[in-house]
Amino acid sequence: SQKSPSLSRSLPDPDFRLQTDAGMFKHFLGYLPQQSEIQRDFPASVWEVALSGNLGRVKNRLRVGFGYDSASGERAQKALTMLGMEDMKKRSYNELSGGQQQRVGVARALVVDPKIIFADEPTGNLDTENSELVFDLLHRLAHEEGYCVIVVTHDLAIAEKADEVLRLKDGCLIS
């Protein structure tokens, strides 16, 4: 029997850089990281966390207020409104529930105006109800807003709802 190809062998050469209109890979991808204790206790407002998704995009941070230009503000406002968080933008991030924090994380990912949203265990630390809400949000972003959403999860209930599922085992693509 033939062994499944290693995922790393199926990816482009390590020196490959995806070019977009902006010419930079980081402008192409919105990232929703796995939530950690440090993130949950982060002492910033919802607005500041949402805007922080754009920090790597602005070339001269000092000239435009540490990375927050007017276009970033408009994208952050639009994302928070779309996610039902606009009334919470002055609240402290660490006062929010886990589900609310994940929605702010999605807003942060959207601020870069990505083509792809990469979500690493987006429901991993959430209860069942909030897991459903976050998954439904990601599903809506894919089907109604036109984003490509890639979710990494160990939760089979979440994986079963995906349009496409790729399974890895020991670093090899198995299905």
Side-chain angles (χ1 to χ4, degrees):
S1 93
Q2 187 177 1
K3 186 176 176 183
S4 296
S6 167
L7 180 61
S8 62
R9 283 185 288 190
S10 65
L11 294 175
D13 180 77
D15 294 329
F16 172 80
R17 293 289 179 261
L18 184 60
Q19 295 296 312
T20 66
D21 292 341
M24 305 275 301
F25 179 76
K26 63 187 167 189
H27 298 169
F28 192 77
L29 183 69
Y31 179 58
L32 177 60
Q34 199 171 77
Q35 214 174 23
S36 68
E37 285 297 320
I38 292 171
Q39 289 169 317
R40 278 192 285 278
D41 295 333
F42 195 66
S45 71
V46 165
W47 181 247
E48 291 166 328
V49 172
L51 279 172
S52 72
N54 201 52
L55 281 175
R57 188 173 188 159
V58 178
K59 290 179 183 171
N60 188 340
R61 290 181 186 93
L62 294 176
R63 215 178 63 212
V64 293
F66 298 99
Y68 309 141
D69 58 7
S70 61
S72 300
E74 290 169 13
R75 286 191 302 271
Q77 183 62 45
K78 179 181 175 186
L80 289 172
T81 299
M82 178 176 28
L83 303 174
M85 303 290 294
E86 69 275 7
D87 293 338
M88 297 184 180
K89 71 181 185 181
K90 292 184 179 182
R91 285 190 55 193
S92 179
Y93 178 79
N94 59 12
E95 294 174 357
L96 302 178
S97 71
Q100 290 170 325
Q101 287 181 346
Q102 281 299 77
R103 289 191 330 213
V104 174
V106 171
R108 182 182 183 278
L110 292 173
V111 167
V112 298
D113 196 23
K115 306 289 183 240
I116 300 171
I117 298 170
F118 187 85
D120 183 8
E121 294 283 358
T123 62
N125 294 317
L126 301 178
D127 60 29
T128 304
E129 181 181 346
N130 279 308
S131 291
E132 291 287 328
L133 290 171
V134 169
F135 182 82
D136 290 345
L137 167 62
L138 294 172
H139 190 268
R140 188 179 84 211
L141 288 172
H143 289 268
E144 295 174 20
E145 302 293 330
Y147 291 95
C148 173
V149 178
I150 299 171
V151 176
V152 176
T153 187
H154 289 93
D155 185 338
L156 296 178
I158 294 297
E160 287 175 358
K161 296 176 183 181
D163 296 326
E164 299 285 335
V165 176
L166 300 176
R167 294 181 54 218
L168 296 176
K169 182 176 182 181
D170 300 328
C172 293
L173 186 63
I174 60 173
S175 66

mmCIF file of all heavy atoms in Angstrom, residues 14-40:
data_model
loop_
_atom_site.group_PDB
_atom_site.id
_atom_site.type_symbol
_atom_site.label_atom_id
_atom_site.label_comp_id
_atom_site.label_asym_id
_atom_site.label_seq_id
_atom_site.Cartn_x
_atom_site.Cartn_y
_atom_site.Cartn_z
ATOM 1 N N PRO A 14 9.617 26.280 0.334
ATOM 2 C CA PRO A 14 9.621 27.196 1.486
ATOM 3 C C PRO A 14 9.909 28.647 1.116
ATOM 4 O O PRO A 14 9.522 29.554 1.828
ATOM 5 C CB PRO A 14 10.727 26.649 2.387
ATOM 6 C CG PRO A 14 10.936 25.252 1.949
ATOM 7 C CD PRO A 14 10.515 25.165 0.518
ATOM 8 N N ASP A 15 10.591 28.883 0.003
ATOM 9 C CA ASP A 15 10.890 30.253 -0.404
ATOM 10 C C ASP A 15 9.746 30.903 -1.175
ATOM 11 O O ASP A 15 9.796 32.074 -1.506
ATOM 12 C CB ASP A 15 12.156 30.280 -1.270
ATOM 13 C CG ASP A 15 13.380 29.889 -0.471
ATOM 14 O OD1 ASP A 15 13.404 30.179 0.751
ATOM 15 O OD2 ASP A 15 14.295 29.293 -1.056
ATOM 16 N N PHE A 16 8.679 30.134 -1.451
ATOM 17 C CA PHE A 16 7.526 30.637 -2.181
ATOM 18 C C PHE A 16 6.818 31.720 -1.368
ATOM 19 O O PHE A 16 6.621 31.585 -0.176
ATOM 20 C CB PHE A 16 6.562 29.481 -2.444
ATOM 21 C CG PHE A 16 5.242 29.897 -3.033
ATOM 22 C CD1 PHE A 16 5.130 30.167 -4.390
ATOM 23 C CD2 PHE A 16 4.121 30.005 -2.236
ATOM 24 C CE1 PHE A 16 3.919 30.531 -4.940
ATOM 25 C CE2 PHE A 16 2.907 30.371 -2.774
ATOM 26 C CZ PHE A 16 2.807 30.634 -4.132
ATOM 27 N N ARG A 17 6.439 32.800 -2.005
ATOM 28 C CA ARG A 17 5.670 33.860 -1.354
ATOM 29 C C ARG A 17 4.474 34.176 -2.241
ATOM 30 O O ARG A 17 4.646 34.500 -3.425
ATOM 31 C CB ARG A 17 6.489 35.131 -1.165
ATOM 32 C CG ARG A 17 7.625 34.984 -0.199
ATOM 33 C CD ARG A 17 7.083 34.869 1.229
ATOM 34 N NE ARG A 17 8.151 34.704 2.176
ATOM 35 C CZ ARG A 17 8.531 33.549 2.690
ATOM 36 N NH1 ARG A 17 7.939 32.441 2.332
ATOM 37 N NH2 ARG A 17 9.497 33.495 3.571
ATOM 38 N N LEU A 18 3.293 34.070 -1.677
ATOM 39 C CA LEU A 18 2.080 34.363 -2.424
ATOM 40 C C LEU A 18 2.008 35.862 -2.683
ATOM 41 O O LEU A 18 2.124 36.659 -1.771
ATOM 42 C CB LEU A 18 0.867 33.909 -1.613
ATOM 43 C CG LEU A 18 -0.486 34.045 -2.247
ATOM 44 C CD1 LEU A 18 -0.552 33.237 -3.536
ATOM 45 C CD2 LEU A 18 -1.547 33.576 -1.295
ATOM 46 N N GLN A 19 1.849 36.243 -3.917
ATOM 47 C CA GLN A 19 1.781 37.658 -4.276
ATOM 48 C C GLN A 19 0.323 38.057 -4.468
ATOM 49 O O GLN A 19 -0.437 37.379 -5.142
ATOM 50 C CB GLN A 19 2.571 37.925 -5.551
ATOM 51 C CG GLN A 19 4.051 37.682 -5.393
ATOM 52 C CD GLN A 19 4.691 38.640 -4.400
ATOM 53 O OE1 GLN A 19 4.484 39.840 -4.454
ATOM 54 N NE2 GLN A 19 5.445 38.101 -3.476
ATOM 55 N N THR A 20 -0.062 39.149 -3.877
ATOM 56 C CA THR A 20 -1.399 39.685 -4.043
ATOM 57 C C THR A 20 -1.263 41.077 -4.633
ATOM 58 O O THR A 20 -0.167 41.543 -4.910
ATOM 59 C CB THR A 20 -2.134 39.762 -2.685
ATOM 60 O OG1 THR A 20 -1.461 40.725 -1.876
ATOM 61 C CG2 THR A 20 -2.173 38.420 -1.997
ATOM 62 N N ASP A 21 -2.383 41.779 -4.773
ATOM 63 C CA ASP A 21 -2.329 43.152 -5.285
ATOM 64 C C ASP A 21 -1.392 44.002 -4.438
ATOM 65 O O ASP A 21 -0.696 44.869 -4.942
ATOM 66 C CB ASP A 21 -3.725 43.780 -5.291
ATOM 67 C CG ASP A 21 -4.627 43.121 -6.312
ATOM 68 O OD1 ASP A 21 -4.111 42.469 -7.234
ATOM 69 O OD2 ASP A 21 -5.845 43.279 -6.175
ATOM 70 N N ALA A 22 -1.381 43.771 -3.148
ATOM 71 C CA ALA A 22 -0.511 44.538 -2.258
ATOM 72 C C ALA A 22 0.908 43.991 -2.279
ATOM 73 O O ALA A 22 1.817 44.613 -1.750
ATOM 74 C CB ALA A 22 -1.058 44.503 -0.828
ATOM 75 N N GLY A 23 1.096 42.798 -2.879
ATOM 76 C CA GLY A 23 2.430 42.230 -2.981
ATOM 77 C C GLY A 23 2.921 41.569 -1.714
ATOM 78 O O GLY A 23 4.082 41.194 -1.619
ATOM 79 N N MET A 24 2.072 41.393 -0.718
ATOM 80 C CA MET A 24 2.515 40.826 0.553
ATOM 81 C C MET A 24 1.543 39.735 1.000
ATOM 82 O O MET A 24 0.338 39.937 0.987
ATOM 83 C CB MET A 24 2.567 41.903 1.640
ATOM 84 C CG MET A 24 3.405 43.111 1.301
ATOM 85 S SD MET A 24 5.143 42.946 1.660
ATOM 86 C CE MET A 24 5.171 42.615 3.376
ATOM 87 N N PHE A 25 2.079 38.599 1.428
ATOM 88 C CA PHE A 25 1.250 37.485 1.881
ATOM 89 C C PHE A 25 0.366 37.871 3.064
ATOM 90 O O PHE A 25 -0.786 37.497 3.135
ATOM 91 C CB PHE A 25 2.141 36.306 2.264
ATOM 92 C CG PHE A 25 1.370 35.123 2.767
ATOM 93 C CD1 PHE A 25 0.696 34.305 1.893
ATOM 94 C CD2 PHE A 25 1.316 34.841 4.119
ATOM 95 C CE1 PHE A 25 -0.029 33.216 2.348
ATOM 96 C CE2 PHE A 25 0.598 33.766 4.575
ATOM 97 C CZ PHE A 25 -0.071 32.946 3.690
ATOM 98 N N LYS A 26 0.917 38.650 3.997
ATOM 99 C CA LYS A 26 0.162 38.964 5.213
ATOM 100 C C LYS A 26 -1.113 39.755 4.941
ATOM 101 O O LYS A 26 -1.981 39.836 5.783
ATOM 102 C CB LYS A 26 1.041 39.685 6.225
ATOM 103 C CG LYS A 26 1.551 41.023 5.769
ATOM 104 C CD LYS A 26 2.539 41.552 6.786
ATOM 105 C CE LYS A 26 3.311 42.730 6.221
ATOM 106 N NZ LYS A 26 4.384 43.114 7.081
ATOM 107 N N HIS A 27 -1.241 40.342 3.775
ATOM 108 C CA HIS A 27 -2.458 41.067 3.434
ATOM 109 C C HIS A 27 -3.526 40.147 2.864
ATOM 110 O O HIS A 27 -4.648 40.561 2.665
ATOM 111 C CB HIS A 27 -2.156 42.170 2.427
ATOM 112 C CG HIS A 27 -1.209 43.186 2.953
ATOM 113 N ND1 HIS A 27 -0.641 44.125 2.158
ATOM 114 C CD2 HIS A 27 -0.716 43.407 4.190
ATOM 115 C CE1 HIS A 27 0.158 44.883 2.877
ATOM 116 N NE2 HIS A 27 0.131 44.461 4.106
ATOM 117 N N PHE A 28 -3.156 38.927 2.601
ATOM 118 C CA PHE A 28 -4.038 37.969 1.959
ATOM 119 C C PHE A 28 -4.777 37.105 2.978
ATOM 120 O O PHE A 28 -5.806 36.546 2.683
ATOM 121 C CB PHE A 28 -3.165 37.093 1.051
ATOM 122 C CG PHE A 28 -3.924 36.247 0.094
ATOM 123 C CD1 PHE A 28 -4.468 36.790 -1.053
ATOM 124 C CD2 PHE A 28 -4.069 34.893 0.312
ATOM 125 C CE1 PHE A 28 -5.148 36.014 -1.964
ATOM 126 C CE2 PHE A 28 -4.752 34.103 -0.583
ATOM 127 C CZ PHE A 28 -5.291 34.670 -1.728
ATOM 128 N N LEU A 29 -4.239 37.023 4.174
ATOM 129 C CA LEU A 29 -4.702 36.059 5.162
ATOM 130 C C LEU A 29 -5.142 36.736 6.451
ATOM 131 O O LEU A 29 -4.396 37.516 7.041
ATOM 132 C CB LEU A 29 -3.549 35.094 5.464
ATOM 133 C CG LEU A 29 -3.804 33.958 6.420
ATOM 134 C CD1 LEU A 29 -4.764 32.951 5.806
ATOM 135 C CD2 LEU A 29 -2.493 33.259 6.754
ATOM 136 N N GLY A 30 -6.370 36.432 6.885
ATOM 137 C CA GLY A 30 -6.842 36.850 8.198
ATOM 138 C C GLY A 30 -6.701 35.659 9.130
ATOM 139 O O GLY A 30 -7.127 34.555 8.803
ATOM 140 N N TYR A 31 -6.084 35.867 10.276
ATOM 141 C CA TYR A 31 -5.766 34.758 11.171
ATOM 142 C C TYR A 31 -6.523 34.884 12.482
ATOM 143 O O TYR A 31 -6.468 35.925 13.141
ATOM 144 C CB TYR A 31 -4.256 34.736 11.430
ATOM 145 C CG TYR A 31 -3.794 33.642 12.359
ATOM 146 C CD1 TYR A 31 -4.052 32.306 12.063
ATOM 147 C CD2 TYR A 31 -3.108 33.938 13.525
ATOM 148 C CE1 TYR A 31 -3.630 31.300 12.916
ATOM 149 C CE2 TYR A 31 -2.671 32.935 14.374
ATOM 150 C CZ TYR A 31 -2.937 31.620 14.067
ATOM 151 O OH TYR A 31 -2.517 30.622 14.912
ATOM 152 N N LEU A 32 -7.234 33.826 12.847
ATOM 153 C CA LEU A 32 -7.917 33.728 14.127
ATOM 154 C C LEU A 32 -7.188 32.665 14.931
ATOM 155 O O LEU A 32 -7.373 31.470 14.699
ATOM 156 C CB LEU A 32 -9.392 33.344 13.926
ATOM 157 C CG LEU A 32 -10.230 33.130 15.178
ATOM 158 C CD1 LEU A 32 -10.276 34.389 16.039
ATOM 159 C CD2 LEU A 32 -11.637 32.696 14.804
ATOM 160 N N PRO A 33 -6.299 33.088 15.854
ATOM 161 C CA PRO A 33 -5.487 32.105 16.579
ATOM 162 C C PRO A 33 -6.287 31.357 17.642
ATOM 163 O O PRO A 33 -7.367 31.783 18.056
ATOM 164 C CB PRO A 33 -4.403 32.964 17.238
ATOM 165 C CG PRO A 33 -5.040 34.299 17.410
ATOM 166 C CD PRO A 33 -6.000 34.457 16.254
ATOM 167 N N GLN A 34 -5.717 30.251 18.055
ATOM 168 C CA GLN A 34 -6.266 29.509 19.178
ATOM 169 C C GLN A 34 -6.198 30.415 20.400
ATOM 170 O O GLN A 34 -5.208 31.107 20.616
ATOM 171 C CB GLN A 34 -5.416 28.256 19.387
ATOM 172 C CG GLN A 34 -6.080 27.188 20.185
ATOM 173 C CD GLN A 34 -5.249 25.920 20.159
ATOM 174 O OE1 GLN A 34 -4.257 25.846 20.851
ATOM 175 N NE2 GLN A 34 -5.638 24.963 19.351
ATOM 176 N N GLN A 35 -7.241 30.446 21.180
ATOM 177 C CA GLN A 35 -7.287 31.348 22.322
ATOM 178 C C GLN A 35 -6.419 30.828 23.460
ATOM 179 O O GLN A 35 -6.413 29.639 23.760
ATOM 180 C CB GLN A 35 -8.728 31.508 22.798
ATOM 181 C CG GLN A 35 -9.017 32.870 23.317
ATOM 182 C CD GLN A 35 -10.485 33.051 23.641
ATOM 183 O OE1 GLN A 35 -11.206 32.095 23.871
ATOM 184 N NE2 GLN A 35 -10.909 34.275 23.677
ATOM 185 N N SER A 36 -5.684 31.738 24.102
ATOM 186 C CA SER A 36 -4.828 31.372 25.226
ATOM 187 C C SER A 36 -5.186 32.230 26.438
ATOM 188 O O SER A 36 -5.928 33.206 26.329
ATOM 189 C CB SER A 36 -3.358 31.582 24.863
ATOM 190 O OG SER A 36 -3.103 32.970 24.713
ATOM 191 N N GLU A 37 -4.633 31.875 27.588
ATOM 192 C CA GLU A 37 -4.872 32.645 28.807
ATOM 193 C C GLU A 37 -4.431 34.095 28.637
ATOM 194 O O GLU A 37 -5.102 35.011 29.089
ATOM 195 C CB GLU A 37 -4.139 32.013 30.002
ATOM 196 C CG GLU A 37 -4.788 30.757 30.531
ATOM 197 C CD GLU A 37 -6.185 30.989 31.073
ATOM 198 O OE1 GLU A 37 -6.433 32.021 31.733
ATOM 199 O OE2 GLU A 37 -7.055 30.142 30.808
ATOM 200 N N ILE A 38 -3.299 34.288 27.989
ATOM 201 C CA ILE A 38 -2.785 35.647 27.800
ATOM 202 C C ILE A 38 -3.776 36.472 26.990
ATOM 203 O O ILE A 38 -4.054 37.623 27.325
ATOM 204 C CB ILE A 38 -1.400 35.620 27.115
ATOM 205 C CG1 ILE A 38 -0.385 35.015 28.063
ATOM 206 C CG2 ILE A 38 -0.979 37.008 26.651
ATOM 207 C CD1 ILE A 38 0.967 34.743 27.441
ATOM 208 N N GLN A 39 -4.326 35.891 25.947
ATOM 209 C CA GLN A 39 -5.298 36.618 25.132
ATOM 210 C C GLN A 39 -6.558 36.931 25.920
ATOM 211 O O GLN A 39 -7.100 38.027 25.823
ATOM 212 C CB GLN A 39 -5.681 35.810 23.903
ATOM 213 C CG GLN A 39 -4.582 35.712 22.888
ATOM 214 C CD GLN A 39 -4.913 34.694 21.824
ATOM 215 O OE1 GLN A 39 -5.410 33.615 22.135
ATOM 216 N NE2 GLN A 39 -4.650 35.045 20.594
ATOM 217 N N ARG A 40 -7.037 35.969 26.699
ATOM 218 C CA ARG A 40 -8.282 36.181 27.446
ATOM 219 C C ARG A 40 -8.159 37.321 28.439
ATOM 220 O O ARG A 40 -9.126 37.994 28.744
ATOM 221 C CB ARG A 40 -8.686 34.900 28.163
ATOM 222 C CG ARG A 40 -9.406 33.924 27.265
ATOM 223 C CD ARG A 40 -10.035 32.802 28.065
ATOM 224 N NE ARG A 40 -9.070 31.843 28.542
ATOM 225 C CZ ARG A 40 -8.584 30.845 27.825
ATOM 226 N NH1 ARG A 40 -8.968 30.685 26.580
ATOM 227 N NH2 ARG A 40 -7.719 30.008 28.330
#
